Structure formats: C-alpha cells, structure tokens
Amino acid sequence: MSPPLLEVHGASKVFRLEDREVPALLDVSFDVREGECLAIVGESGAGKTTVANLILGVYPPTDGTILMHGEPLPARRRREHRRAIQLVQQNPLSTLNPKRTVGASLRLALDVHRIGERRERPEIVATLLEEVGLPGDFARRYPAALSGGQRQRVAVARALACRSELVVLDEPTSSLDVLVQARVLRLLEELKPRRGLTYLFITHDLSVVRNFADRVAVFEKGRLLEIGVTEALFAEPEHPYTRRLISAVPVVSREEELVRDRLAEGGLNA
Amino acid sequence: MIVPTLDIRDLRLGFRTYEAYVEVLHGISLNIAPGERVALVGESGSGKSVTARIVLGLLQLLRSARISGSVVFEGRDLDRLSARERQRLRGTRMTMVFQDPTSSLNPVYRIGTQFHEVLRRTEPRINEHAARERAAQMLLEVSIDDPDRVFESYPFQLSGGMNQRVMIAMALANEPALLIADEPGTALDVTVQAQTLKLMRELVEHHHTSVLFISHNLGVVREFADRVYVIYKGRIVEQGPCASVFERPGHAYTRALMAAVPRITGGGLPDIGDEPRDFSQPLVVHESGGYA
Ligand SMILES: Nc1ncnc2c1ncn2[C@@H]1O[C@H](COP(=O)(O)OP(=O)(O)OP(=O)(O)O)[C@@H](O)[C@H]1O
Ligand SMILES: Nc1ncnc2c1ncn2[C@@H]1O[C@H](COP(=O)(O)OP(=O)(O)OP(=O)(O)O)[C@@H](O)[C@H]1O
Ligand SMILES: [Mg+2]
Ligand SMILES: [Mg+2]
C-alpha cells in the first residue's frame, strides 16, 4: 500500500450566516494515498465541495488539520502548494479566462509556477496539448470555440502544466455526452500513472465511480460514513445509506437492474 | 384526434457569424402528446439546447439566428404569435429548468424573493405570506426540508444540487402544460435525482403535463421517459419507445452511445476508439414511435 499523500485529521467546517450556523463538515478524517483515485460520493449538501475547498485552501477548516507529505498545510497556501494541488471543475468555462487563448492560458500557468526555461515554454505548451489529445493549432483558439469535451481536456492540460501532484476533479464529466465522457475518463486514467498523479474524484455518478476509482468515501450530512476499496464497497455496502445510494443508480440494461437490486438488498452474498 | 402539446416539423436553424453561415439543425421533427415524457439525447453540440430555446421563443429574439419549419404548441403556431404573446407563455404554460442553475437564479436576490416573483407570473396579486406557503410546499416536494433557511439564502450559500432543486420547484409551481428540462440532474446526487424524477413523474401524471427532457444520462432517460429521440449533428437518427430503443438500438450512433455507458456491474471503462466515426445512416423509427 502506498504512503498517504494527503491526510485529513478531524476536519470540521461551520459556515456562519447572519443569525445561524451551518455545520457543513463534522470531524472528518481520511487520507488520500499516492497514486490512487479516491472518490467522494454522497447526497447533495453532504459536504463534498466543502472538502475540496478545504484541501484547495479556498478557506481554512474551523477545526482540524490537513497534511501533505506529512507536513501541515498552512491556512495561507504558498505558491508551491497552489501548484501541487489543482482543480478540474464541472464547468470549465467558468475557470478558463474567455479572453485568453488556450495557448495563453497554459503559458500563464507555466509562467506563474516558473516551469521550464522561458524559451522552452512554447514547446511545453505544444507537448501538453498533444498529451491531452488536442491538435497543436488549438493553442490559438478561445474557450468559446471549443466543445465541452475539448474544454475539459484544456483544463486537464493546465493541471498537467503545473506539474501538480493532486488533482481534485469536481464532477469533471457530468456535462459531457457519454462518448466524450468515456474519452476524457480514459485520458485521466492513462495520465495518472504516466504523470504520477493522485486524484480526488467528486461525483454523483456511481456507475463511473465503480469503474474509475480505487477507493470510495461515502459522506452523509457532513460526516464520513464509510470508506473502502471500490470492489468491496460495491459488493458489500456496510451502511444502509450506501445501499440506498446504490439502489437509486439509474442503469441502462436489465442485467444491471438485477445486480443493482441485489446489491441494494444487502450485498451480493446476501 | 388528440392535439399534441408540442409538434415540431422540419425545423431548421442556422447562425450567421462573422466568417460564415453555420447550419445547426437540418430539419428536425418531434412531437409530444399531452402527458407524455419525451427525451432528446445525443452528442454534445448536436442541437438539443437550441431546439429547446426555439420552443421557448428565445432564439427568435437573436438577430443572427435563421429559423424555418414549424413549431406548434397546444395547437398554436409559434410563428403566428407576437413576441409578446410568446413571452407570456414562458414561465406560465411552458416552463424550463436549465443546465446551469447559476445562470437562471439571480445572484443578488434571496431565493424567497425570486420564488415570489415566479408565483406572481400566474397570480399577480399573491401576497408574500401566501407565496411563502406555496413555495415551502413545493420545496418540501423536492426534499428541501428547511425551506426557511433556503428562502433567506442567496444562491452562493447553497450547494449546487440545492440550487437545482430550487429551480425545479420554481418550474413546477405554476403547473405548466409543458416542462422543458435541459440536463436537470447534472448537479443532483442519485437519491435526490430519483426523488426529483419521481416528483416530476407524479406531476406529469396528475396534471397531464408534458415533458421535453434533455439529458446525457442514458440511465435516467430510460427510467424517466416514455419515448426517446436520438440526435446527431442536427439530425434525428433514431426514435421510438424507450424500452425498444434501449433493448434494440438500431442506428450505429445510438449503439455507440449505449456502448460508452459505464456499467454499475463493473468491467472497467468502456473502450471506445479515439476517431470520430461515420454515423451518416438514415433515420431508424421503432414501432409505435409517435402518432403523427
Ligand atoms: N459559503 C457558504 N455559506 C453558507 N453555507 C454554505 C456555504 N457553502 C456551502 N454551504 C452549505 O454547506 C453544506 C454543504 O455544501 P457543499 O457545497 O459542500 O455540498 P456538496 O456535497 O458539494 O453538494 P452538491 O452535491 O449539491 O454540490 C450545504 O448545506 C450548503 O448550503
Ligand atoms: N448563438 C450562437 N451562435 C453561433 N452558434 C451557436 C449559437 N448557439 C449555439 N450554437 C452552436 O449550435 C450548435 C448546437 O448547440 P446546442 O447548445 O444546441 O448543443 P447541445 O446539443 O445542447 O450540446 P450540449 O449537450 O453540450 O449541451 C453548437 O455547435 C453550438 O456551437
Ligand atoms: Mg458540490
Ligand atoms: Mg445543451
């Protein structure tokens, strides 16, 4: 088993509104191991995006600590941390600057994080595009002139540009059609060992989780309910809540319906 | 003969851009009977959202859009209605739920205020208290169980899925004849999605509401819709009852789509080639697909 890249210890997050408090995360502990893909699933409002934001340093936890390579991450992240942890979101249009070409966006990431020699950088941009399967002339295009799947590839290229170690994927494929989704997921799967990446994968799509994640963490109302190896968790969900999640997965064939309903009743061996 | 809620015939659409004229829809025909749930699925960029925006009378407002063919809603040809009459239909007889809740909810108003506005479209004199009560009831139905906090919140203070449920509640509040749902579930988790779809289905059955349902999630389509149209590059390539299309997909593109869905039974990510394939095969129609 590989060592932890990231450790979350007793993390809580309480949002304060004018006249009340919203406890979004309650005493959560888990770790993300080097080279794995850990999926975070759970109902809407369970706290998934809050976990991601704590890890990205968008805001500090109310309580608890987060370690990377065994070192506590400071509330104000240093450039090094901002480089090492990258986000790929559901809607890349909101993260890619519409006024910048694809090439300029990638170049900026290289400049900010001082990656490569200045004069090598155009070359690096070209290699990055190639790595995510985009033609080189896409460097001159603006985000508006790209399809959803192509924008997602650009977002992945930017995460690669930073030589990031941990990529937080927040619903990266849910606005894509299934053919494009399959290609983007395959790309992510290939890049993981090649680039030595670790993924934190937030999604509602349990069918994707089943085929893409190494481990799964199930959240409910700000608490971590169970965490385990994907195969085992799906074969024998421990918690009734997890069973409920699985039983609600919409499927496309009769065979899946039968298997799903058996899982929902308490595991394949029940 | 029953008058269909929506009857689209030979719909064509093109955009004039700086460089060229781009044709996006090449003659789409699609109909929805009263109380019927019809899904439109297909490639990203194939023309699903623009079709919805034409039905809503929104693209007609865009100078660069060239539209031909006919769209008949409850027996009335949209072309013969004034822009004002079309605007009056929106939000009352036909309502919509969009892909991205942040683009439809106003970031600077609290949810309670926005909900009141929605209810005023059909009941201009409804007071704040009555509006709250009706809205709270709708929110409970989409399983938001602390409506008071939600009313007081601005959209950014709610999770993605909560915003989407608020939008669905707003779209159903005025009991429309046609609900257009464009990717309504992308930000919803499976249990809420299942509940929301159940709610949408109940409403359809009670009030005979028709639904045009646009989604990339084929599992959801299979469980929700009666009939499905598959669109590829601005052309309908296959249509028929869901059961039949999912069990016996006839068109090469539909088959490729089905093969690309990851399965809950495992087996790894589907292996599909990188090359876009040629899907220019003629339309496949399944038995009893539509009645027009
Ligand atoms: N900035 C904020 N201010 C106040 N409350 C917040 C804020 N951000 C999140 N919350 C609340 O924290 C809880 C968890 O939200 P979070 O966005 O983490 O959910 P999620 O699991 O990502 O849900 P979804 O699947 O719908 O995206 C929700 O009740 C939400 O309303
Ligand atoms: N205002 C516009 N001007 C020019 N082209 C447009 C405009 N709006 C849409 N298009 C083009 O029309 C085509 C159809 O777009 P549409 O939004 O309907 O796709 P879609 O099927 O909804 O895709 P997705 O599944 O990604 O939402 C796309 O190629 C798009 O780029
Ligand atoms: Mg979220
Ligand atoms: Mg669309």
Side-chain angles (χ1 to χ4, degrees), chain A residues 17 42-45 174-179 182-183 186 189 204 207 210-211 234 245 250-253 256-257 259-260, chain B residues 44 157 159 161-162 165 186-191 216 219-220 222-223 257 262-264 266-270 272-273:
Chain A
L17 303 184
E43 272 176 337
S44 182
S174 37
S175 59
L176 306 177
D177 72 65
V178 287
L179 272 160
R183 292 200 183 102
R186 286 227 141 213
E189 200 175 54
H204 289 303
S207 301
R210 175 72 181 81
N211 294 285
F234 274 83
L245 275 187
V251 295
V252 293
S253 64
E256 283 179 283
E257 239 164 42
V259 172
R260 176 194 65 188
Chain B
S44 194
Q157 290 170 324
S159 78
M162 291 166 105
R165 278 181 282 164
T186 40
L188 293 181
D189 64 87
V190 286
T191 47
H216 285 308
V220 168
R222 174 169 173 269
E223 278 169 32
L257 268 189
R263 305 296 163 118
I264 194 73
L269 291 175
I272 52 160

Side-chain angles (χ1 to χ4, degrees), chain B residues 90-103:
Chain B
R90 268 202 305 280
T92 57
R93 294 304 292 160
M94 45 167 109
T95 60
M96 59 260 170
V97 178
F98 279 125
Q99 212 153 356
D100 175 17
T102 46
S103 66

Side-chain angles (χ1 to χ4, degrees), chain B residues 225-243:
Chain B
D226 305 310
R227 240 167 5 104
V228 58
Y229 287 81
V230 183
I231 181 172
Y232 178 72
K233 291 203 194 311
R235 287 193 173 81
I236 302 291
V237 297
E238 181 155 6
Q239 69 116 331
C242 268

